Amino acid sequence: MSGYNSYSDDELIILLKQGDLNAFTAIHKRYYGVLYSHAYKRLADREEVKDILQELFTCIWNNREVINLNVNLQAYLYTAVRNKILNVYKHQKIKSDYAASLESFLVNNEPTPDESLRVKELIALVDAEVKSLPAKMRLIFEMSRNAHLSHNEIAEQLNISPLTVKKQVNNSLKVLRLKLGTHFFMIFF
Amino acid sequence: MQLKEIEYLLEKYNKGKATLAEKALIESWYLTYNNDAPGASHQQLEEDQEDSLNKLLFRINSTSKKSYARVFAIAASLLVFITAGALIFMHHQFPKQHFFAFAKPVKNDIAPGGNKAILTLANGNTLVLADAKNGKLASQGGVVISKTADGQVKYAGSSQNALSNTLVYNTATTPKGGQYQFILSDGTKVWLNSASSIKYPVSFIGNERRVELSGEAYFEVAHNAAKPFRVVSNGQTVEVLGTHFNINAYADENEVKTTLLQGSVKVSSAGSSSVIKPGEQAQFNNGKINVVSGVDLDAAVAWKNGLFYFEDSSIQEVMRQFARWYDVDVKYDGELPSRHFSGEIPRNINATQMLDILNFKKIHYKLQGKTIVVMP
């Protein structure tokens, strides 16, 4: 299972489309935290947040074969949650709060006209929620982002000694050198 | 901007009808709104994440039969639980707290049903079968009634030993939350579901084997071409020579459903009759018999195998089964969504665990003593 945590989003999507439940689980583990955190701040209603995320993940599994995720998994998930939240707003009884906010935004700000730029901003916004996650969830998310943690940081998060981390990193570097060795020669000599 | 205009704008947006400028406005504003609001606690987040994943995996496991092989790898542990649960359930001993790791214990929870029944003998005496010890229970008209090591009640002895030619009847009744298995004197096996009752002669004298059923039972009738086996329920008679079938004749269900697994049976009422083949179901309602083919047999006898099995069932259908098994009353509050449920749920979990699974599908509930209030 842990192997899946280091797969890229694109790799997970390919596996998901083949019906791989491990890939589905990995997507859930990778994104549930940031999505939850993001949605909770905006809805402040635990049940509502759970419901919209459950709907989203159920929909992903049910439509795994036909879903068009070519865009990018993050963009897909984050915009889907945004749209669900906006839908909740529409149905909410107490509207004054967000209505006032929207009105003041209209007066004081300029909307970003470029859609792809807005999606980029949304991705950055949701990704930033990683800071508020419990350590284990944070690590899973960061592993997938290829975050360059120091040996000490990794050791601290995984609760193992920095020496062990160093050894494992060196081992994998050795393997990499062996694999890449011949190519290096071809390129440089 | 008026509140109404904003509402209208959101409505347009949600329907995908907003102009590019309106879309830009809403999406840009969204990025700024409530970003500094307080977040959820780590504990809550971890709980909800685990709960969410468990529910998803459980649902996938129970509904995607086609990709079973693939699903099996990851859901192996769940499957083992379910299988073990169903098997052990049949032997009515099960440590409930091990079943669902994700379900939290709830105060005043309602335990699932179990092997319970009351046997009324010909002389009017009653025996509580759950409490009875194994071994001989009674003797009726030369037939010995005993409780076997697996907790079934068995009638043994031949009609030749009977003292007279008059039929001597026993009645077995299961309460809500009970079920029981019987072996009649001809070797026919009967599984009686909860809130059901069956009346049968202790020994089948004469040229037919006739029993009366209310509620639901599954029959494995011992073959005897010379003596047809007849089940009478709600004005319908099912006639067989030897076969496996299920009859659902609850008074609160719309129709009497007879589902055939093996052999052939004749379903008849005052006006008409139909012969059904394996995989077919006779639906008897208002004196009319309607035969449906291609019925899901697993669904019809799931109860006997320790499962609730729903296929495109309404919430009312689900809750009727629920009420019978957990011995509760169900009330509805508010307008319920007309959604339908599919999937299987083991019968040996507590009421709130079962309700939690339904809760996931946007049905909410309140427990008030022995009454469950279902809300949208």
Side-chain angles (χ1 to χ4, degrees), chain A residues 18 21-22 28 36 38 41-42 46 54 82-83 85 89 97 101 103 112 115 118 121 125 132 134, chain B residues 1 3 7 13 23-24 27-31 33 35 37 42 44 46-48 52 70 74 360:
Chain A
Q18 295 164 359
L21 203 51
N22 284 319
H28 190 280
Y36 188 102
H38 173 82
K41 280 185 178 174
R42 278 151 190 86
R46 185 176 181 175
Q54 211 66 3
R82 176 193 66 197
N83 294 348
I85 291 172
Y89 285 164
D97 181 29
S101 163
E103 201 170 350
T112 314
E115 179 166 18
R118 292 196 303 267
E121 285 177 38
L125 190 67
S132 58
Chain B
M1 207 176 191
L3 192 60
E7 264 175 48
Y13 179 84
K23 200 164 170 256
E27 290 176 359
S28 301
W29 159 75
Y30 177 85
L31 294 167
Y33 180 56
N35 207 30
H42 284 181
Q44 178 186 326
E46 277 168 344
E47 260 176 43
D48 290 352
S52 160
R70 251 184 257 139
I74 183 74
F360 156 50

Side-chain angles (χ1 to χ4, degrees), chain A residues 18-19 21-22 24-25 28-29 32-33 36 38 40-42 46 50-51 54-55 57-58 61-62 64 82-83 85-87 89-90 95 97-99 101-103 105-106 111-112 115 118 121-122 125 132-134 137, chain B residues 1 3 6-7 9-11 13-14 23-40 42 44-49 51-53 55-57 59-60 64 67 70-71 74-75 359-360 362 364:
Chain A
Q18 295 164 359
L21 203 51
N22 284 319
F24 178 71
T25 306
H28 190 280
K29 287 189 168 171
Y32 192 90
Y36 188 102
H38 173 82
Y40 192 84
K41 280 185 178 174
R42 278 151 190 86
R46 185 176 181 175
K50 282 167 73 177
D51 280 354
Q54 211 66 3
E55 260 175 37
F57 282 101
T58 305
W61 177 258
N62 289 345
R64 64 190 178 279
R82 176 193 66 197
N83 294 348
I85 291 172
L86 286 169
N87 197 34
Y89 285 164
K90 194 192 79 189
K95 292 174 172 145
D97 181 29
Y98 76 79
S101 163
L102 184 56
E103 201 170 350
F105 181 87
L106 197 64
T112 314
E115 179 166 18
R118 292 196 303 267
E121 285 177 38
L122 179 67
L125 190 67
S132 58
L133 297 187
M137 270 187 215
Chain B
M1 207 176 191
L3 192 60
I6 292 173
E7 264 175 48
L9 192 61
L10 271 179
E11 172 115 20
Y13 179 84
N14 288 326
K23 200 164 170 256
L25 168 65
I26 290 191
E27 290 176 359
S28 301
W29 159 75
Y30 177 85
L31 294 167
T32 66
Y33 180 56
N34 261 4
N35 207 30
D36 301 320
H42 284 181
Q44 178 186 326
L45 178 48
E46 277 168 344
E47 260 176 43
D48 290 352
Q49 192 266 342
D51 190 46
S52 160
L53 187 59
K55 280 180 180 165
L56 287 162
L57 293 180
R59 201 178 119 85
I60 290 167
S64 67
S67 53
R70 251 184 257 139
V71 170
I74 183 74
N359 196 21
F360 156 50
K362 288 216 163 177
H364 299 87

